[in-house]
Each structure stands twice: as structure tokens, then as C-alpha cells.
Amino acid sequence: MPRFSIIVPSHGVAGRLSLALDSVLGQSFGDFEVIPVCDAPDAPAGAVAAGYAERDKRVTPVFSPPSAGLAGARNTGLRAATGAYLLFLDGDDTLAPGALTALETRLAETGEVDVLYAEHERTPWWEGEPANPAAPLFAKAPQGAFAPAEAPGITGVQLPVWSAAYRRGFLAAHALVFPAGHCTDIGFGGLVTVHAERIAVLRSVLVRHLLRRQGSRLNLPGEHHADLLEQTDLVLTAAAGRGVTGDLFAQLFAAVLKTAAHPARLPASGRRAFFRRAAALYRRHRPAGFRRPGGSLGVQHRLLAAGAYTAFRALRGANRKASAAAQRVPRPRGLRTRLYYRLQLRRRIDPHLAVYCAYWGRGYACSPAAIHAKAAELAPHIRSVFLVEADQAQSMPPGVDHAVIGSRRAWRLLARAKYLVNNANFAEGVVKREGSVHVQTQHGTPLKKMGVDQSTYPVVAAATGSFTKLLGRVDRWDYNLSSNTHSTQMWERAFPGSYEQLEYGYPRNDVLLTATAEDVARVRRELGVPEGKTAVLYAPTHRDHRTGFDAGLDLEAFCEAAGEDVVVLLRAHYFYDRGVRRGSGRIIDVTAHRSAEVVCLAADALVTDYSSIMFDYANLDRPIVVYADDWDVYTETRGVYFDLMTAPPGPVARTPEELARVFADGSYASPASRSLRNIFRARFCQFDDGRAAERVVRRVLLGEPAEAIPPVRPLAERVPAPAASPLVRS
């Protein structure tokens, strides 16, 4: 019996079905079956599915006539499924990379649950940022498995069916299938909520849902919207004997009122009948003690309960007119927030307030985190606050004060802070106040072109946006950190400005010089590195000319060829960190770990292409191998500051076979490799001596003069954190 069955209805999406199937078959976790549900063997999707079935025995097409609809197709797939858990994937969506591994890991943590709800992405069909609507819903959910009553706001009514994994035994025990008709997701999701006894959530993306250009079929006008009332009645009738919760009732009728409030969805002759029937259902199923929501929605609840269609229609018309009038009035976005920020700028600067941010709010990480920690030790009178995105607030270390980016508190802090520390840039609207101090820590030594030097590379320039705005942000900097003279020179070129360069090293790299053997052993245990194994960190960089993460290497094959003692720590570029584990077997996915430096401590050797992690890792004086399979393409599309092929930190491999060979024969740690590394370290590890954070705190936060700052310890006198592997130490 496979662990997972993935059911993929394909009606009307034959052109995109291959993308959906590729996303499943490309999963690192392989214990699954995929069941494409096609209209017929000779239908376009049937031919696509048959081709996949010939190549992979895990693909088993089944057939459901178009007349059976989406519900019929899913039920056909459900009957054919044999997996312990079922997933439903629409044929024009894709399973996120590492999704099945993430599910399996989470199930190992929670134990068997009836339903494991997961986050999902909604991606605009052409341009715009993906949205993750489930993330706020899961923010306050219990950490482990829980009964639905413990988090009544989490139901299958608000979440699409493809945003969860369902235990097949649970569905069979309660004879749960997709109800016929439209809005079947609401009916099925509601029935699952009624019967589930043990659920959990996965705070990472399971499915990437592509919004269609023509919009959802359910938003088109027609009689089919009456099916929403059928599904609502079905769910609440089933719930009657099991104790209806107010949350489930409220969510169902929020959907009903949304349809009733959009007259274009319903034919004119059926609007009054829809409302009256909805009112009857409302009165029949309303739980005892139900408290209506506030605001306009609460008014709609009252009108529905009273069956007052004329008043509801008047309210609906008034709302539409007010909305149209508001759209005609030109005004800036977030007017209230901007006015609030401007008001805060009138207040005096708080001389004892420091605001930190890393990677555009990705959490407590990099040099801002290292400076924050050292400031707590050396400058305790400074009140420090980290800015993070809402979905990272739960991951902040205990005791670290933080504010959510975009909140009123965050804007107040930005307006009044004396010190602002970032490894990227603060928001466009942040004002550089007289008397405030901005510190740019950077987040790597530049091999690839940066800043205004990107302007001659079209792919990168298009992603960067306005260089005028970029330079406006640079003008806010008072200090810019550097870890070597190469960086100092390149930052001056890439980010021309009047800031002062602080050649103090990168605070995030302090731990690479201060960690002990016990620290290294602890980190390896936490990451799951087997004792006695050689851990190879594989950290490929982002490719601007590609979309999505591609490891660029068959890691399982590499492990087999490199030797039985080799395991791989996979760390994708932070652009692809979605909290999803991609690893399995001898591959340990560490992409989601907040600290690249801690991951470096655990590794006995590094394999990378052109990532700046090589410069940081060189501080550990451990073997580095460059895997340069597309160097010519990369230099042409991204641009570089020096020829890495003539000045590498270790052996250079151009093919997977060459890469495996340097590990199999031990040349990755040979005297020749060490010689290359010594030259590289002398050039790029100039200022990282373990005291960078201290120097920044003393100079910036404590105001000590430059001549009083501790000098950089010579490279020959530094003792890096010890490696775990005896081979590397020798």
C-alpha cells in the first residue's frame, strides 16, 4: 500500500496536465501512486496520462465522463486509490517541490490524523505576487495534533480540498465522498470537518494554484449557484447530531451571503428565491447562542435571519455605489498608515531604540541577528526590535521583541528609532531622519554583479527595477560593512554613496570562529547527520534566467558515487525557502534552517556553484569544491566580478561524474586543494575573525572612536571551529 494517493482530475486542462504530473513524479519522496482522472481513454488528457503510465508504473489513469462533473471525477479517483492518505490536485495546478516529504515529516511528528491541512499558494496567471491565504489562518493553530474544537476557525469550508491530505480509512469509515453538483469543495470540506476527530496543520506550501485568466467557473453567472445552498444544507444537517459550532455555521453563511451580495452571479428571476431559501436554512440551522459578526456582515446576518430581501437589496445597492465612488476618488494606497507614519516622524527620535531586519523580514537571521545578540550583551540600555513578516513571527527566538512589517507599530518604530540595521533594505517609504543611523550589513561577498552594475544585464536589470530608487535607498546608509577589500571596492562601485565603509568583517560569520567541538556535534545531531558520516553541504545559488528551484544535480546518484559515508545537506537559495523539506534518504534538506552559518558548522565540506556562501565557509578552513556546469551561461546572464575558474577555493568540477570523483578519490581534501584554499582565504577572509559584531556595536551603538575599536586578528592566528570528520581534520 503506497503512503500517498494523488488524484488528479483533468477535464479541460490537457495542455497543463503534464506540469501537474511532472510536479508529482519529481517529488523526492517516492512512496506514492498518482491517479489521473480523464474523460475517456481517447480524450486529449487520456493520451497524456497514458504516456506517463507507460514510463512510470506509479501512474494509473482512470476514467470518468464529463457529465459526472468534478465531484464524479474525484470520487472515481477515490475509489481507485489504495494509499494511506489521499491528496486531490487539480490538473492545472502543481504540487510544490518537497511537498510529500514535508507531509511525511509532519505526519511523523503528529502521528496519524484524520486530516492534515496545509498552506497553498495562489499565483496570478500573468503577473503579481503569489498569495498564501492559509498562513494567517494557521498562525494560532496548536503545534501538534488537535481536536477540531480546539481551533474551530480551521475548517474545510475555508480551505480548498487540494490544500490537505485525508486519511483514507477515515473517509471510508464515514462514507465520505464528494457531493454532486457545484460547490462540491464546500460540501466535502464541511462534511470532513463535521466528522474529523484529530487534525493538524502543516505550515508550508503543499500546492501552487494557478489562478485562471478567465477566473473561477464558480464566479460565472447562472443557476448553478443554487447548489451552494444544497451543500450548506447537507453539511449542517450532518452536523446537527454532532454539535454544530458557530464557526462552521458562520463560514458557510459567509459564502452564501457573498453570493447573494453579487447579483451578477444570479439571474434576476432567481435572486429573491435564493435569498428566501437561504433565510429558511439560516433559521433552521442556526446554533443556539450563535453570536452574529459585527459591522456590515452582521447587518447582512440580521436581514437574512428576518428574510428581509428588500432591505438586503437596498443595502447591497448602497454598498456598490459607495464602492464605485471610492474608486473614483484618487488617493494613495495605505493613506491612514502613511499619515500615521508622518505623524510619528514629528516626534523626537528615541536615542535608545534600534530596529533590525534581515532578508526583507524572513526572520531572526544573518548579521542583523548577530549584532542584535551582541548588543544585548554590550549595550543593554539599547531597546532592540526585529521586524519580520507575519508568517515568521512564530519562529522568533524567545525573548526577542519583534514587530510585523506593515503594522502600525512597525511604522512607529521605523519613524522613531535612532539605529536601523538591515542586510537588505527597508521599505521604499522609510525616511532617513536627521540624527538616525542606518547600518547596511550586506549578506555576502560579491562574486556576481550587484547594484547599479547589474544595469547592463537585461534579465537581472528587469528584476531589480528602478536604479534611481535603489540609489535613493543607498543614500540612507551611514555605514556599510565589508569582510574583505574586494568587497569594499565592489560595494563602492555597485552602491555609490556617501556612507562610511566599516571593514570589520560580517557579524554573522563570528560563530564560524567561536563555535566549539561540542557546538558542532550538537548542530549535527539537530540536523540529523548520522554519526561518523561525511556531511557535504550542497548550496547552489539562484539563477536569474530560470524560474523555480532546480538542484542542478542528482544528489542521490552523487552520494552513491562519492562513497557510502557521504550524506548531503541540501541548502537552496533563500528565494526558495518555503519551509518545505526536499530531502530523503542520504539527502538532508536544510533550506528552511534560519542560519546558514550554523549549517556550515555541521558540514565537513562544501559543494557550491557561484554562491557567496563559499566566502563565508572558507573561514572554517574546510574543503570546498566548485561545481561549475554552466559557468559560461551564468557569466553571460548575471555577470561576475572575477573569474572564479582561475581563482577557485578548491577543485572545480564541470560534470556530475567529475564532482563524484573528487570525493571518491579524496582529492577534495588533498594538499593541492588546501593550497588553493589558502590563497582564497588570504584574499577573502581578511576581516572575519570572530569579533565583527563586537566592533559594530562598539562603533555604532556605543559611539566609540575608530581608533578604540579592537583590531582584526591576523588570519594565521585564528582558530576556526573544529570539523567533525577526522578525514577533514587530518
Side-chain angles (χ1 to χ4, degrees):
M1 179 178 69
R3 184 61 166 161
F4 298 108
S5 294
I6 300 97
I7 298 165
V8 190
S10 60
H11 177 70
V13 292
R16 295 186 58 85
L17 179 59
S18 60
L19 299 178
L21 296 180
D22 286 342
S23 74
V24 177
L25 297 175
Q27 294 289 309
S28 55
F29 184 92
D31 186 15
F32 63 82
E33 63 178 0
V34 56
I35 305 173
V37 186
C38 309
D39 293 342
D42 57 351
V48 173
Y52 278 86
E54 291 176 2
R55 298 190 296 272
D56 196 315
K57 63 181 181 181
R58 295 174 296 180
V59 180
T60 307
V62 296
F63 306 100
S64 176
S67 59
L70 179 59
R74 286 174 171 166
N75 288 335
T76 298
L78 195 156
R79 288 191 295 270
T82 62
Y85 278 85
L86 308 185
L87 287 78
F88 298 92
L89 180 68
D90 284 356
D92 53 352
D93 295 336
T94 56
L95 206 58
L100 297 185
T101 298
L103 284 175
E104 180 62 15
T105 301
R106 184 60 174 149
L107 288 170
E109 296 169 351
T110 63
E112 300 295 286
V113 293
D114 296 331
V115 189
L116 177 58
Y117 292 112
E119 295 177 2
H120 62 274
E121 278 186 355
R122 292 182 178 270
T123 305
W125 79 274
W126 179 242
E127 63 182 9
E129 291 296 321
N132 185 341
L137 188 63
F138 292 169
K140 295 183 180 180
Q143 292 300 311
F146 56 93
E150 295 179 58
I154 298 175
T155 76
V157 172
Q158 285 192 315
L159 296 166
V161 297
W162 36 258
S163 191
Y166 307 88
R167 186 167 60 84
R168 186 165 63 91
F170 157 70
L171 298 181
H174 297 283
L176 295 180
V177 296
F178 287 86
H182 296 85
C183 306
T184 186
D185 279 27
I186 288 180
F188 181 82
L191 291 173
V192 165
T193 298
V194 168
H195 292 283
E197 296 179 358
R198 197 167 184 266
I199 66 176
V201 300
L202 171 64
R203 294 180 176 88
S204 60
V205 171
L206 178 66
V207 168
R208 292 175 178 168
H209 173 66
L210 179 67
L211 297 173
R212 297 176 179 177
R213 182 184 181 190
Q214 64 272 31
S216 170
R217 297 188 186 100
L218 295 178
N219 291 334
L220 299 176
E223 298 284 355
H224 61 278
H225 288 286
D227 287 359
L228 175 58
L229 300 181
E230 297 285 354
Q231 306 290 0
T232 299
D233 191 20
L234 177 69
V235 172
L236 294 178
T237 299
R242 303 179 66 91
V244 181
T245 67
D247 291 82
L248 180 61
F249 178 87
Q251 288 176 21
L252 285 166
F253 276 95
V256 170
L257 286 167
K258 183 177 181 181
T259 297
H262 288 75
R265 294 185 180 181
L266 299 166
S269 60
R271 294 170 192 168
R272 184 183 295 271
F274 180 93
F275 185 87
R276 287 180 173 175
R277 187 177 170 207
L281 289 176
Y282 188 96
R283 291 190 293 268
R284 187 197 320 162
H285 292 294
R286 179 172 53 192
F290 174 70
R291 297 183 61 182
R292 300 185 184 94
S296 176
L297 183 58
V299 174
Q300 294 179 52
H301 271 257
R302 289 185 176 88
L303 296 177
L304 186 62
Y309 177 72
T310 302
F312 181 87
R313 184 177 60 183
L315 175 64
R316 183 180 64 196
N319 287 340
R320 290 205 314 276
K321 290 179 181 179
S323 177
Q327 292 176 3
R328 290 193 295 269
V329 177
R331 60 177 181 175
R333 281 187 69 185
L335 177 60
R336 291 183 179 179
T337 300
R338 295 188 183 198
L339 291 175
Y340 179 77
Y341 178 60
R342 293 291 176 182
L343 179 64
Q344 294 300 315
L345 289 173
R346 293 173 174 265
R347 303 178 63 187
R348 70 178 184 86
I349 288 177
D350 185 342
H352 298 135
L353 175 61
V355 172
Y356 299 80
C357 189
Y359 297 118
W360 302 276
R362 285 182 60 245
Y364 191 75
C366 200
S367 290
I371 297 171
H372 175 278
K374 185 59 68 173
E377 174 187 340
L378 300 180
H381 63 287
I382 300 293
R383 182 167 64 92
S384 300
V385 185
F386 236 88
L387 299 187
V388 294
E389 290 289 353
D391 60 351
Q392 293 296 325
Q394 300 289 332
S395 67
M396 295 298 289
V400 175
D401 191 11
H402 60 275
V404 173
I405 290 175
S407 67
R408 289 169 69 90
R409 183 179 184 231
W411 283 108
R412 182 174 72 251
L413 293 167
L414 287 168
R416 302 200 57 211
K418 168 76 172 181
Y419 309 100
L420 295 96
V421 182
N422 206 326
N423 73 347
N425 263 307
F426 289 102
E428 192 70 37
V430 171
V431 173
K432 174 66 166 71
R433 295 186 65 178
E434 184 177 355
S436 66
V437 178
H438 286 237
V439 180
Q440 171 57 253
T441 73
Q442 301 293 348
H443 52 271
T445 291
L447 167 62
K448 61 189 176 185
K449 292 292 181 69
M450 301 292 291
V452 296
D453 287 343
Q454 300 172 346
S455 60
T456 56
Y457 296 87
V459 174
V460 189
T464 301
S466 169
F467 288 97
T468 300
K469 290 183 178 180
L470 170 66
L471 292 176
R473 295 190 292 269
V474 170
D475 287 341
R476 299 193 301 232
W477 303 354
D478 294 288
Y479 298 105
N480 182 59
L481 299 190
S482 171
S483 60
N484 47 65
T485 53
H486 162 79
S487 293
T488 303
Q489 296 164 6
M490 296 309 106
W491 296 145
E492 184 177 347
R493 282 179 43 183
F495 303 114
S498 58
Y499 53 83
E500 180 181 350
Q501 298 266 22
L502 297 181
E503 295 185 324
Y504 288 173
Y506 287 148
R508 71 177 187 180
N509 290 337
D510 286 353
V511 68
L512 303 180
L513 283 299
T514 60
T516 64
E518 290 75 17
D519 294 328
V520 173
R522 174 181 50 79
V523 170
R524 285 169 69 94
R525 286 194 303 271
E526 292 174 353
L527 296 180
V529 178
E531 188 171 353
K533 298 292 185 180
T534 298
V536 177
L537 174 59
Y538 178 58
T541 193
H542 169 63
R543 300 294 198 279
D544 297 275
H545 57 284
R546 296 179 187 167
T547 57
F549 173 71
D550 179 3
L553 184 67
D554 187 336
L555 297 177
E556 293 285 359
F558 166 76
C559 287
E560 291 297 324
E564 62 181 8
D565 291 330
V566 171
V567 297
V568 170
L569 302 176
L570 169 62
R571 187 170 182 85
H573 191 277
Y574 59 80
F575 283 178
Y576 309 111
D577 172 16
R578 302 184 185 279
V580 176
R581 293 181 61 86
R582 303 176 181 85
S584 64
R586 294 166 66 180
I587 314 303
I588 303 171
D589 185 6
V590 295
T591 302
H593 196 288
R594 65 179 176 85
S595 172
E597 306 77 62
V598 169
V599 170
C600 286
L601 289 176
D604 301 305
L606 169 69
V607 173
T608 187
D609 40 22
Y610 327 118
S611 170
S612 66
I613 199 172
M614 73 177 78
F615 303 96
D616 305 313
Y617 191 84
N619 284 289
L620 290 168
D621 197 17
R622 302 178 192 174
I624 302 174
V625 178
V626 176
Y627 179 54
D629 63 330
D630 62 346
W631 172 250
D632 294 337
V633 174
Y634 188 83
T635 56
E636 194 68 27
T637 57
R638 188 59 170 87
V640 294
Y641 284 115
F642 67 93
D643 186 359
L644 181 64
M645 301 301 100
T646 63
V652 176
R654 297 276 189 169
T655 66
E657 293 75 16
E658 290 180 7
L659 179 62
R661 191 179 307 126
V662 300
F663 281 89
D665 64 17
S667 57
Y668 78 102
S670 67
S673 175
R674 171 172 282 279
S675 177
L676 291 171
R677 190 164 71 252
N678 286 341
I679 297 172
F680 191 87
R681 279 166 49 81
R683 181 180 180 185
F684 296 111
C685 297
Q686 289 176 275
F687 310 137
D688 285 333
D689 67 348
R691 301 186 68 181
E694 177 185 349
R695 282 190 279 269
V696 173
V697 171
R698 291 190 182 281
R699 178 69 187 280
V700 178
L701 301 185
L702 297 179
E704 294 182 6
E707 58 272 16
I709 303 303
V712 175
R713 186 184 310 146
L715 185 62
E717 297 177 12
R718 302 175 204 166
V719 179
S725 169
L727 174 63
V728 177
R729 284 203 301 271
S730 65

